[in-house]
Amino acid sequence: GDDLNLHYQPIMDTNSNKVKGFEALLRWSDKDLGNIEPDEFISLAEETGQIVPLGKWVLNSALKQLSIWHREFDDELVMSINISCIQMHTTFAEQLSAMLNFYNIQPKSIALEITESSMIFKHGEVRQALDDISALGVELHLDDFGTGYSSLSMLHDLPISTVKLDKSFVHGTYKGSEAIVQATYAICEKLGLKVVAEGVETETQKAFLTSCGYQYLQGFLFSKPIPPDEVEMRFLSSR
């Protein structure tokens, strides 16, 4: 039947040339339809409200996996998990806290990735949930930075620790991409934020990003999202 599972994409620390952590990414393979693109079923799940139970399953599965890797390989590894603003209800932080306790994971080992576009609703319930999550000591990462709205004011205004530069800038899709790559790093440094560049596919991109000061990189140059056993073989067992 339908098969939902998580794949993990490494986030590399260029200073040590080691893996800093992983982003958990949902994969859905259907026996008739084959692999279904995450964008397709995530937006469908958001529209139908299924994102709440689905999101809970993802969170639970990723935390469970991290607890195994902490025990067996390295307790410094960090797990990034994407969160939809529809999941950001008032009791979200309590549920997260209970899961962290259950799996015996330190809050600092978890990062929740929220997209800029979902932050247009940055008042009321969502805002409270973000503050509660941050108060737990869990990191909040702003995903797809530079593609949404009111980016700079949001950096200032929300309890975010890390910015993920959207891959379109890394690929040089826009006129002025290089300037945006440099400016994003400069702004984040001034605001005391960490920054991760996504979508790194070539040595040239890696060299440019490193020269701009980027320490954390993610992309096909290092690995596509892969299942847990492959992660262990390629990135963890040699540590």
Side-chain angles (χ1 to χ4, degrees):
D2 293 349
D3 193 13
L4 277 178
N5 54 56
L6 291 180
H7 282 199
Y8 300 89
Q9 187 172 34
I11 299 165
M12 305 304 290
D13 179 343
T14 55
N15 286 3
S16 64
N17 237 356
K18 283 206 166 118
V19 67
K20 174 188 189 269
F22 299 93
E23 180 179 350
L25 294 154
L26 189 59
R27 291 290 177 263
W28 180 21
S29 48
D30 178 274
K31 63 179 190 311
D32 302 319
L33 302 171
N35 285 325
I36 299 157
E37 282 301 306
D39 296 350
E40 289 178 34
F41 66 80
I42 297 288
S43 53
L44 183 66
E46 285 183 337
E47 284 164 30
T48 57
Q50 283 299 311
I51 194 76
V52 175
L54 185 62
K56 207 169 176 179
W57 180 86
V58 168
L59 204 54
N60 189 61
S61 307
L63 291 181
K64 186 178 181 180
Q65 185 62 71
L66 185 64
S67 69
I68 294 168
W69 286 342
H70 275 184
R71 208 168 49 240
E72 295 182 1
F73 299 104
D74 180 355
D75 61 7
E76 297 283 298
L77 290 169
V78 175
M79 183 72 79
S80 291
I81 303 158
N82 295 283
I83 296 291
S84 158
C85 70
I86 298 164
Q87 292 168 259
M88 294 273 184
H89 45 73
T90 37
T91 57
F92 180 84
E94 282 171 51
Q95 290 178 2
L96 178 59
S97 180
M99 281 186 189
L100 291 169
N101 289 335
F102 181 78
Y103 287 114
N104 194 21
I105 289 173
Q106 297 298 317
K108 66 175 172 37
S109 301
I110 296 295
L112 298 184
E113 299 199 1
I114 53 179
T115 59
E116 252 187 280
S117 50
S118 73
M119 289 301 97
I120 308 163
F121 320 110
K122 64 170 186 258
H123 40 263
E125 214 177 356
V126 172
R127 177 64 213 238
Q128 188 56 56
L130 292 176
D131 288 337
D132 293 346
I133 291 162
S134 180
L136 288 179
V138 168
E139 289 207 359
L140 284 165
H141 292 190
L142 188 61
D143 204 8
D144 303 336
F145 180 73
T147 58
Y149 310 87
S150 64
S151 337
L152 297 177
S153 61
M154 275 171 28
L155 291 181
H156 212 61
D157 191 38
L158 292 170
I160 289 159
S161 71
T162 301
V163 163
K164 296 192 81 175
L165 176 72
D166 188 66
K167 60 181 179 292
S168 56
F169 303 112
V170 172
H171 297 166
T173 312
Y174 296 105
K175 186 179 189 309
S177 284
E178 287 200 354
I180 291 169
V181 169
Q182 290 163 327
T184 301
Y185 182 80
I187 290 160
C188 289
E189 196 180 34
K190 283 267 190 293
L191 294 175
L193 298 169
K194 289 179 296 208
V195 63
V196 177
E198 289 191 281
V200 184
E201 292 178 8
T202 67
E203 289 291 347
T204 311
Q205 290 166 354
K206 178 185 171 185
F208 174 62
L209 290 160
T210 314
S211 74
C212 293
Y214 286 78
Q215 183 180 350
Y216 302 113
L217 306 179
Q218 179 180 354
F220 286 2
L221 177 63
F222 311 103
S223 173
K224 66 183 201 309
I226 50 178
D229 51 346
E230 204 178 325
V231 167
E232 291 172 12
M233 200 172 63
R234 286 178 51 193
F235 292 95
L236 298 179
S237 54
S238 62
R239 286 170 87 84

